[in-house]
Amino acid sequence: MPKNDYNWQLKGRVRILREILFWAAGIWLFIYCWNIISARTMWPFVYDGAEQASKLLMRMFPPNWPYFLNLIRPIWDTITIATLGTIAAILLSLFVAFLAAENTSPHPILRQLALLIIVTSRSVSSLIWAIILVIILGPGVLAGIIAISLRSVGFVSKLLYESIEEIDKEQVEAVEATGASKFSTLIYSVVPQVFPSFVGTAVYRWDINIRESTVVGLVGAGGIGLQLNEAILGLKWPDAIIIFMMILSLVLFSELFSAKIRKILI
Amino acid sequence: MLKINNLHKQYPGGDLALEGINLELKKGEIAAVIGPSGAGKSTLIRCINRLVESTAGEIILEDQDINQLSKKELKEKRRKMGMIFQEYALVERLTVMENVLSGRLGYLSFWRAWLRRFPQKDINQAYQLLERLGLKDHLNKRADHLSGGQRQRVGIARALIQNPDLLLVDEPTASLDPKTARQIMRLITEMARERELAALINIHDVLLAREYVSRIIGMRKGKIVFDGSPADLNKETLTTIYGKEDWNNFKNKDQENSASEGGNDLADREKRKLQLAASSSN
Amino acid sequence: MLTERSENYSWQRPHLIKSKNKRIIIYFLVLAYLIFTFISLEIDPQRILLGLSRSQKYFADFFRPDFISRGESIMDGIIESLTMTYVATIFGIIISIPFAFGAAENISPKPIYFLSRAVIVISRSFQEVVIAIFFVVVIGFGPMAGVLTLTFSSIGFLAKLLAEEIEDIDWSQVEAVKATGASWPQLMTYAILPQILPRFIGLAVYRLDINFRASAVIGVVGAGGIGTTLNAAFDRYEFDSASAILIVMIAIVLLGELFSSFIRKKLK
């Protein structure tokens, strides 16, 4: 029998070398970035941070419980901003996603346009949209609603057009083969197929939007952020803790609620 | 009623799927298309209702060349062609009834389709079809809750409610167990005969084809290499269609098969015929 | 042909909500909510018209992005944002791992489980800006507050999703490796990590993307990054510079998306 050693290695020498290089580059980049940040940091303040934080927490107690009553309207507004903003985004995204999905888009140029809308909307946070809209529309809930919906259009459209692209082509062909018009084909074969993921996305986005709409008020676009801004600028910490608690319970409530809705609809 | 002249199909990648298909189908004639996978059976059927666009040739259905039709005319023509798919192609999240009624969409305005407002006549017909196909108790079930055989029955009902002249059937039994496959094949051929529909049935199961259909078309590599009655299928012809293989046992087995099960089938068929006669005399 | 029967069948699409009364009540409640909120919006058409006419000039500026006149501070802000993003994501990854194991129901003892879940809930409930306000108050303006903010919100995100991944681990694979007599580190590298690592890398890259976008907003409250530059541009009504900043951001997000889809493809 010939003596023959087989050569098996999962990671060859070149690959090991490449991995070492990759990790070294990552660590070097980390140190480099850290130095930039460190140079721009007032370290004494940071060392002092823990003490400041504990002082801050102390000043929050006892919480100003009656302040809760002043928050009912802002919380209502926050929910309104999230809900109407999500609804507006959903309506818009039906259209945008239809243009953006490769298999339903009527024209490649329209598809590129839709993709541009999606990436623009996704790249710019709702707070920035809110700043712009407050300048245009003046402070108020309306600016918040539009800001939230502009931010959400991209998110909902992206997930929706991806699920449109994944549909079973045969089901569409089958309805098409009956001689159905384009619209009928859409409602009978595309819509039922994307419905579950669409509902999931919409409810999920609503859940995120509750969180987002707690801050648009900071720039004047309505909701509980306005009160938060006042409390912090006025150093009214006993009020601030009530606001934090309200935000926390609002978000938890919305998470439970959206999980429930998803269960019912899908 | 259907006449195909010199049909070619070349896919964008350069694959030649159909190469000069000539075929004629008379009213009420049922033909099975057999052949190895990749022979172009599916493409042929899809070219007829233009789910796939052929590259050259004519498809003349009722004196009109389908390839020359405008989009609107094509839609009207498609209403007259029912199609049955291998994987059923039901819209899975819709109910059985909606799936069947979707066969009538070609006749419905957009708004009625959206609101599911189907004419009473269509609903009656859907009920009768589903009753006949043994799905009466599943009307409001979602299609994805049905078994394979049940789904294919819904597929048949969807094709038949179109009141088509031509039935295009693509591997109706490939995803089914042998018993259900026979039932489905029998239903399709029976229903087509009752209504005097021409039908083109793609099927890879030669035994099933031979049993239920009187005309067999053999395809290989995009060409028709056999066209005749089941009796003409022998060692040589099978070799031209599928290539070399020991075909001797094949035939014998088949005969045993039909001998052992055929009796039952025949009795069934007789019963149905009687029922039919009774119902049509009402 | 089938015979025509004289009796008519009736069919209606089954409704989502079976009981008719319940359905009407729900429709009514939804409609009432929408009407009520519309009324509570208090839209002031005059203010909007005024704003629109005033903002025409701004809009014109938006379509003439100016990369030059504030070029230096834009460049500086972008670099700061990128460094904040990278550092915070790395910190987030490192810190989130113990929390993820703590929050995985199947391997963690109850007290640790609840503690980890509590941290995750708090981290996920507050929008980055709210957290940033807190850190700015505590340690002052600058990118360090931003790094802490992004790290804190990354922890909740990564730990929650990683915990779900750990809960879904296929234990038969672990047992198979254990049966060969493997030690604990071997068990980790051969049975557990291969199951969770690909998804975790995907999540980390996704979080990198989120952190960059967030780094642009937390600057609005003083936590450093491009947001500070952007906010300054808005304050000075320099919409041409603001537009330039937004364009740069969109470009970077696009690049990031290309990068992450490249990574995801490699992982497959």
Side-chain angles (χ1 to χ4, degrees), chain C residues 173-174 176-194:
Chain C
Q173 289 181 36
V174 181
V177 176
K178 220 185 226 168
T180 66
S183 65
W184 188 81
Q186 285 170 330
L187 208 61
M188 281 303 276
T189 46
Y190 278 87
I192 295 185
L193 283 185

Side-chain angles (χ1 to χ4, degrees), chain A residues 59-110:
Chain A
R59 261 181 252 139
M60 285 180 178
F61 288 91
N64 181 10
W65 294 110
Y67 184 62
F68 166 73
L69 292 175
N70 301 9
L71 290 180
I72 293 176
R73 179 63 203 261
I75 284 180
W76 172 263
D77 283 346
T78 305
I79 298 174
T80 304
I81 291 172
T83 309
L84 294 191
T86 311
I87 291 174
I90 288 171
L91 296 180
L92 278 173
S93 65
L94 287 177
F95 191 63
V96 176
F98 169 74
L99 294 183
E102 222 164 357
N103 46 352
T104 54
S105 184
H107 196 275
I109 292 177
L110 284 175

Side-chain angles (χ1 to χ4, degrees), chain A residues 199-200 202-203 206 254-266, chain C residues 16:
Chain A
V199 170
V203 174
W206 177 77
S254 80
E255 223 159 86
L256 290 179
F257 188 71
S258 63
K260 177 119 200 181
I261 294 254
R262 229 171 300 165
K263 222 182 216 162
I264 293 175
L265 285 181
I266 299 177
Chain C
L16 194 66

Side-chain angles (χ1 to χ4, degrees), chain A residues 44-238:
Chain A
F45 284 177
V46 178
Y47 298 141
D48 203 25
E51 200 183 319
Q52 288 293 330
S54 62
K55 266 192 199 159
L56 203 88
L57 285 175
M58 301 278 278
R59 261 181 252 139
M60 285 180 178
F61 288 91
N64 181 10
W65 294 110
Y67 184 62
F68 166 73
L69 292 175
N70 301 9
L71 290 180
I72 293 176
R73 179 63 203 261
I75 284 180
W76 172 263
D77 283 346
T78 305
I79 298 174
T80 304
I81 291 172
T83 309
L84 294 191
T86 311
I87 291 174
I90 288 171
L91 296 180
L92 278 173
S93 65
L94 287 177
F95 191 63
V96 176
F98 169 74
L99 294 183
E102 222 164 357
N103 46 352
T104 54
S105 184
H107 196 275
I109 292 177
L110 284 175
R111 172 157 197 264
Q112 290 308 321
L113 187 75
L115 291 177
L116 183 72
I117 292 174
I118 289 173
V119 73
T120 309
S121 150
R122 278 163 47 78
S123 308
V124 181
S125 311
S126 23
L127 194 68
I128 293 169
W129 285 119
I131 294 175
I132 300 173
L133 285 161
V134 166
I135 293 171
I136 298 173
L137 302 173
V141 176
L142 186 64
I145 292 172
I146 299 177
I148 291 286
S149 67
L150 286 179
R151 169 67 183 86
S152 310
V153 166
F155 179 92
V156 179
S157 307
K158 179 160 192 266
L159 293 177
L160 185 57
Y161 95 74
E162 281 170 355
S163 81
I164 292 179
E165 283 179 353
E166 276 165 20
I167 58 174
D168 176 9
K169 228 181 106 208
E170 270 221 327
Q171 296 182 26
V172 181
E173 274 190 342
V175 176
E176 223 174 280
T178 67
S181 69
K182 213 164 179 163
F183 272 123
S184 301
T185 311
L186 209 65
I187 341 169
Y188 271 80
S189 63
V190 180
V191 172
Q193 285 192 64
V194 299
F195 184 74
S197 84
F198 176 62
V199 170
T201 308
V203 174
Y204 178 44
R205 187 65 219 184
W206 177 77
D207 192 13
I208 298 177
N209 280 346
I210 287 278
R211 225 159 302 189
E212 298 270 307
S213 58
T214 57
V215 292
V216 291
L218 289 173
V219 295
I224 201 167
L226 198 68
Q227 275 65 30
L228 184 65
N229 205 22
E230 275 173 15
I232 290 172
L233 286 179
L235 301 176
K236 289 185 271 188
W237 297 109

Side-chain angles (χ1 to χ4, degrees), chain C:
Chain C
M1 285 305 286
L2 279 170
T3 48
E4 287 287 333
R5 291 200 201 156
S6 52
E7 58 177 303
N8 274 344
Y9 296 91
S10 75
W11 173 80
Q12 254 196 324
R13 182 159 59 134
H15 285 277
L16 194 66
I17 306 154
K18 295 241 162 53
S19 140
K20 198 174 178 188
N21 290 332
K22 231 179 172 179
R23 204 159 63 224
I24 290 171
I25 290 172
I26 289 177
Y27 286 158
F28 177 76
L29 283 178
V30 170
L31 197 71
Y33 172 76
L34 286 179
I35 291 172
F36 189 68
T37 45
F38 262 114
I39 294 169
S40 78
L41 282 185
E42 292 163 4
I43 297 171
D44 179 357
Q46 258 178 327
R47 172 66 184 83
I48 293 172
L49 281 178
L50 185 76
L52 280 178
S53 65
R54 258 199 312 181
S55 53
Q56 264 170 3
K57 190 179 101 46
Y58 309 147
F59 270 125
D61 281 348
F62 247 111
F63 288 103
R64 275 188 278 109
D66 175 3
F67 295 88
I68 315 290
S69 46
R70 299 269 165 206
E72 226 167 273
S73 66
I74 292 175
M75 201 50 200
D76 195 59
I78 290 284
I79 288 175
E80 197 169 278
S81 263
L82 287 172
T83 53
M84 276 160 54
T85 306
Y86 185 65
V87 169
T89 309
I90 301 279
F91 278 149
I93 289 170
I94 295 169
I95 304 173
S96 70
I97 291 172
F99 280 109
F101 280 93
E105 210 172 0
N106 51 349
I107 55 170
S108 162
K110 277 286 144 184
I112 295 181
Y113 172 73
F114 285 118
L115 184 77
S116 311
R117 283 283 163 183
V119 172
I120 290 175
V121 164
I122 290 178
S123 152
R124 282 169 50 81
S125 295
F126 292 104
Q127 222 266 356
E128 286 90 351
V129 177
V130 179
I131 299 170
I133 293 176
F134 176 79
F135 279 116
V136 167
V137 170
V138 171
I139 66 164
F141 293 107
M144 186 55 84
V147 168
L148 293 177
T149 303
L150 296 180
T151 304
F152 185 69
S153 34
S154 302
I155 292 171
F157 176 90
L158 291 172
K160 176 169 189 252
L161 295 170
L162 184 60
E164 277 164 16
E165 208 59 22
I166 295 169
E167 282 167 0
D168 286 346
I169 280 182
D170 176 6
W171 288 100
S172 61
Q173 289 181 36
V174 181
E175 268 169 13
V177 176
K178 220 185 226 168
T180 66
S183 65
W184 188 81
Q186 285 170 330
L187 208 61
M188 281 303 276
T189 46
Y190 278 87
I192 295 185
L193 283 185
Q195 291 193 51
I196 56 176
L197 203 60
R199 173 112 171 100
F200 188 55
I201 294 174
L203 287 174
V205 171
Y206 181 37
R207 187 65 215 186
L208 201 66
D209 183 37
I210 298 177
N211 276 349
F212 177 72
R213 271 177 276 174
S215 80
V217 271
I218 56 179
V220 173
V221 294
I226 186 71
T228 316
T229 324
L230 185 63
N231 201 31
F234 279 126
D235 278 348
R236 291 192 222 100
Y237 291 89
E238 290 172 355
F239 281 78
D240 41 4
S241 294
S243 153
I245 294 171
L246 291 178
I247 289 172
V248 172
M249 277 176 48
I250 292 169
I252 292 178
V253 168
L254 256 179
L255 279 178
E257 227 148 74
L258 289 179
F259 172 72
S260 67
S261 74
F262 169 77
I263 296 259
R264 245 172 284 153
K265 246 179 224 154
K266 268 213 132 169
L267 284 177
K268 273 177 193 162

